[in-house]
Amino acid sequence: MYPGATPPQISTFIAERLIALTGRRLAVPVTPLPGEALADLIYRASCLNGYKYVRHMFPTIKGSYNHSAFAMRQRHLLGLADLLGTPNGDDDLAGLKYRRWPDQGNGVDFFGTALPIGQLSAWRRVSPSSLRRSPHSKAIWHLKALTFDPHTHELLLDTCPECGTRLDFIKSVGVCNCHHCEVDFRHERFDQPNVDCEDLDALDFATGLVDPENSAGKTAVASLHPAIRAENP
């Protein structure tokens, strides 16, 4: 019922929840996949359910639904978990929101790391080789300081190589597609070169500090000098 490489096991609780939401939830419910933030999940839900534009999912609410917009405006989309049909309701979305970081006026909580709001991009970025493994977008692709996927080291695309259109979170043709010419980026001809770096171990250590999928990243902070360790990466 839930799309994805490893869908959750449908328990009696989840089944009853989905039945109870009939008429209020999307036809194709979604559950968060590894590395997704709210913008990624909403975009994937819009694509899977055949909406031409993401905004059509929220006809009474005006606004944008990209990473930058969610970071700048602490939007509360009431009933979002029910609309998406997430298995555990609001609990599934709690960690995907960019909440303001305490004592930092321009900082947001990026999966446990304090980052400036300006680090979140409004444009969509993709890693063709990563999309072949799992067709979903990842939050870390939308940090302006990173131009590559931390797992494959592949440089990210933010412009369609086929038609030259810059990718965005407005028109929802498909997570793996250009929203303009609809080409599928999973084709091997769209694979990008890897980032040029002589010390990949050091690079992996640095990206691990902010990578939502790298559980060892925060643990690695413990090995830093105390003066550095006190600072949030």
Side-chain angles (χ1 to χ4, degrees):
M1 183 173 292
Y2 285 100
T6 55
Q9 183 176 357
I10 304 300
S11 64
T12 301
F13 169 79
I14 295 175
E16 291 177 347
R17 168 173 164 75
L18 292 175
I19 293 172
L21 291 174
T22 301
R24 291 190 289 142
R25 65 168 173 83
L26 300 174
V28 182
V30 293
T31 186
L33 295 177
E36 283 185 323
L38 205 54
D40 307 296
L41 180 63
I42 289 175
Y43 188 76
R44 180 164 59 88
S46 182
C47 295
L48 288 171
N49 283 276
Y51 286 96
K52 186 175 182 180
Y53 294 95
V54 176
R55 67 175 184 270
H56 290 170
M57 287 177 58
F58 310 99
T60 62
I61 304 175
K62 293 183 179 180
S64 301
Y65 300 93
N66 57 63
H67 289 268
S68 176
F70 277 113
M72 294 184 68
R73 293 184 290 278
Q74 300 298 293
R75 178 176 297 166
H76 299 285
L77 298 175
L78 296 177
L80 179 60
D82 289 348
L83 174 65
L84 297 177
T86 58
N88 305 293
D90 291 328
D91 289 345
D92 288 321
L93 306 183
L96 310 186
K97 301 174 182 178
Y98 298 138
R99 302 185 187 280
R100 291 296 168 87
W101 193 271
D103 303 323
Q104 292 196 30
N106 69 335
V108 291
D109 184 344
F110 183 82
F111 298 90
T113 298
L115 292 178
I117 289 177
Q119 268 298 314
L120 279 300
S121 174
W123 300 100
R124 190 161 66 98
R125 288 168 156 185
V126 298
S127 165
S129 61
S130 179
L131 289 176
R132 280 201 299 274
R133 292 179 173 84
S134 179
H136 72 280
S137 178
K138 297 188 177 185
I140 199 167
W141 294 349
H142 301 92
L143 296 183
K144 294 179 181 179
L146 294 181
T147 59
F148 58 93
D149 177 89
H151 300 274
T152 65
H153 301 123
E154 178 184 35
L155 293 176
L156 299 169
L157 283 176
D158 64 2
T159 301
C160 176
E162 193 80 358
C163 69
T165 299
R166 196 166 188 186
L167 308 179
D168 61 40
F169 284 90
I170 299 173
K171 191 174 182 181
S172 49
V173 171
V175 173
C176 303
N177 303 83
C178 169
H179 64 268
H180 181 69
C181 70
E182 302 188 11
V183 71
D184 192 331
F185 296 128
R186 289 174 294 184
H187 195 286
E188 290 183 356
R189 66 191 176 95
F190 295 117
D191 283 359
Q192 299 300 295
N194 287 355
V195 63
D196 185 12
C197 178
E198 294 183 358
D199 192 343
L200 289 178
D201 288 338
L203 186 67
D204 291 343
F205 176 85
T207 58
L209 300 179
V210 295
D211 184 0
E213 295 182 79
N214 190 338
S215 59
K218 289 296 182 182
T219 304
V221 176
S223 66
L224 297 173
H225 186 279
I228 301 176
R229 188 169 63 241
E231 298 294 329
N232 190 303

